[in-house]
Amino acid sequence: MKWRLAVLGGDGVGPEVMEASLDVLRATAECFGHELTTDVQEVGYAAYERSGNPLPEETLSACRSADAVLLGAVGDPRSEEVPVELRPEAGLLALRKEMGCYANLRPVRLLPALASASPLRPEIVDGTDLVIVRELAGGLYYSEPRGPLDDGRAAVDTMKYHQDEVARIARVAFETARGRKKSVLSVDKANVLHSSRLWRRVVDEIAEEYPDVECDHMLVDRAAMELVLNPSSFDVMLTPNLFGDVLSDEAAAVVGSIGLLASASIGSSPGGIFEPVHGSAPDISGTGTANPLAMILSAALLLRHVYSLDTEPAAIESAVARVLEEGLRTNDLARDGEGSVGTAEMGAAVAAAIANVGVSADA
Ligand code: IPM
Ligand code: MG
């Protein structure tokens, strides 16, 4: 198979973790007889600095002509001086919109080797294995009106959902649940928000198309609490855009580190954007210490979603589990007394493990 990817390292630690994930992808391609070609492009502050646009036209067209997009991270403290519509985050939001990515899947699983990296007691966190299905193209992130009012003395954002937007993301959640434990928990704030009451009604309607999948609702404040009290009770969490953003960082911490969480941003057209949940981490950028596992696992998600492969992404996931079992830790995962390795070393170790895992998968 030919894998033709647009590669957008972005800002901060983005390019560093991207390098590590490309090492792993190359090793995977070699091991299983595929061909990887990459079209490397800029996005975010790096792109703005060079071209005045956080999402330059050539980046967008490279993304459109590739099979899928691998994206590192965007965000730079220097962009506080930049007009909001030209900031790195605006580039990312425009890219998601332009690529028609309305669904963001964020799998959250406790890797046995990392049980002690969780801030929660083992008996609470054990067995945690959920997916956040976050609406990605609407809600508070995009609805109008938005912006400053009264010469900057006030400001407005709007949380608006059309029933069609809710229906399509709900279907993604129910389909996802069918491949798992067949349970969807929809998160909203229906005791206060009109848009949440609409959300709840539409989710219930779509649930009727999936009689084999259990469907419940929970208010977002309670869901935030349950996520630390009973993380293993969740299967698929369906959320509006902002709630999913917030809950996914919380869920990442529950299983050990934001440096582990991968995501797939997908939509109506084939392909998608495969991006770690973490940001550009300017505080550690350039130090070579960022955890590349979220980026590496995002590449695995890409192979699964875009090429419908199973053995290859499973080999990457097993390789990650294996290096962690062997005790390799980046800074974010190392507990008292544990030594740590850098970004490149972690990437190289996973890439090397692919060959072994691949061989046993073939055998
Ligand atoms: C995420 C990030 C982005 C978001 C930022 C960088 C715009 O936090 O993917 O979770 O809020 O969607
Ligand atoms: Mg976020």
Side-chain angles (χ1 to χ4, degrees):
M1 224 178 222
K2 281 198 163 71
W3 299 341
R4 293 167 36 256
L5 306 184
V7 168
L8 281 50
D11 302 319
V13 301
E16 302 168 36
V17 295
M18 180 63 78
E19 230 6 89
S21 78
L22 290 177
D23 268 358
V24 173
L25 270 182
R26 281 187 211 103
T28 311
E30 191 172 321
C31 181
F32 294 93
H34 302 285
E35 193 186 317
L36 170 69
T37 58
T38 57
D39 187 351
V40 178
Q41 297 287 340
E42 287 176 333
V43 70
Y45 190 76
Y48 168 78
E49 241 189 344
R50 206 180 46 80
S51 71
N53 183 349
L55 180 63
E57 198 46 55
E58 68 242 49
T59 298
L60 189 54
S61 70
C63 292
R64 288 202 171 112
S65 22
D67 296 341
V69 182
L70 257 189
L71 185 134
V74 301
D76 189 298
R78 288 170 292 181
S79 68
E80 267 158 45
E81 315 295 319
V82 174
V84 276
E85 66 282 7
L86 295 175
R87 288 192 190 163
E89 293 78 7
L92 175 60
L93 296 193
L95 180 66
R96 287 172 176 168
K97 193 73 159 181
E98 289 292 331
M99 300 294 288
C101 297
Y102 62 80
N104 182 225
L105 274 51
R106 302 187 152 180
V108 182
R109 200 155 58 87
L110 181 76
L111 296 169
L114 291 180
S116 68
S118 170
L120 301 181
R121 291 196 303 278
E123 67 270 26
I124 291 182
V125 75
D126 265 359
T128 297
D129 180 0
L130 61 101
V131 181
I132 295 176
V133 175
R134 170 188 176 194
E135 198 289 324
L136 200 64
L140 209 41
Y141 274 55
Y142 290 97
S143 316
E144 300 285 342
R146 60 204 319 267
L149 299 171
D150 288 348
D151 291 326
R153 285 184 307 245
V156 63
D157 293 285
T158 302
M159 186 158 174
K160 176 176 161 194
Y161 273 113
H162 189 280
Q163 58 182 10
D164 297 350
E165 293 175 290
V166 183
R168 67 181 181 178
I169 190 69
R171 286 200 177 90
V172 174
F174 285 103
E175 292 291 338
T176 304
R178 274 198 169 150
R180 299 174 44 94
K181 288 174 270 173
K182 296 196 168 55
S183 154
V184 170
L185 180 81
S186 174
V187 175
D188 62 38
K189 188 69 184 171
N191 54 346
V192 177
L193 302 177
H194 288 283
S195 60
S196 279
R197 286 188 279 270
L198 172 100
W199 179 279
R200 203 175 265 223
R201 170 175 68 73
V202 177
V203 170
D204 276 333
E205 280 165 22
I206 302 301
E208 289 178 16
E209 297 171 18
Y210 297 85
D212 52 321
V213 179
E214 194 188 322
C215 174
D216 280 311
H217 304 273
M218 194 180 277
L219 298 174
V220 62
D221 44 358
R222 161 103 190 273
M225 181 178 74
E226 290 296 330
L227 208 45
V228 289
L229 292 180
N230 288 306
S232 64
S233 67
F234 296 96
D235 180 20
V236 174
M237 278 181 111
L238 164 63
T239 76
N241 205 340
L242 180 71
F243 298 165
D245 178 50
V246 175
L247 292 176
S248 55
D249 275 32
E250 186 191 353
V254 164
V255 293
S257 166
I258 186 97
L260 294 169
L261 234 60
S263 91
S265 302
I266 55 177
S268 32
S269 42
I273 308 168
F274 295 79
E275 39 177 330
V277 169
H278 65 71
S280 59
D283 50 326
I284 57 164
S285 133
T287 63
T289 58
N291 183 349
L293 294 180
M295 187 75 243
I296 290 170
L297 293 169
S298 298
L301 285 182
L302 185 156
L303 298 183
R304 187 167 281 127
H305 280 271
V306 179
Y307 303 110
S308 304
L309 293 170
D310 189 45
T311 315
E312 292 81 349
I316 296 177
E317 287 156 2
S318 306
V320 166
R322 184 173 294 192
V323 301
L324 291 171
E325 276 152 26
E326 283 164 3
L328 238 57
R329 298 284 183 272
T330 39
N331 252 340
D332 56 321
L333 298 173
R335 288 290 167 268
D336 305 336
E338 289 179 336
S340 62
V341 298
T343 313
E345 225 177 309
M346 183 59 108
V350 177
I354 294 286
N356 302 326
V357 175
V359 168
S360 46
D362 285 348

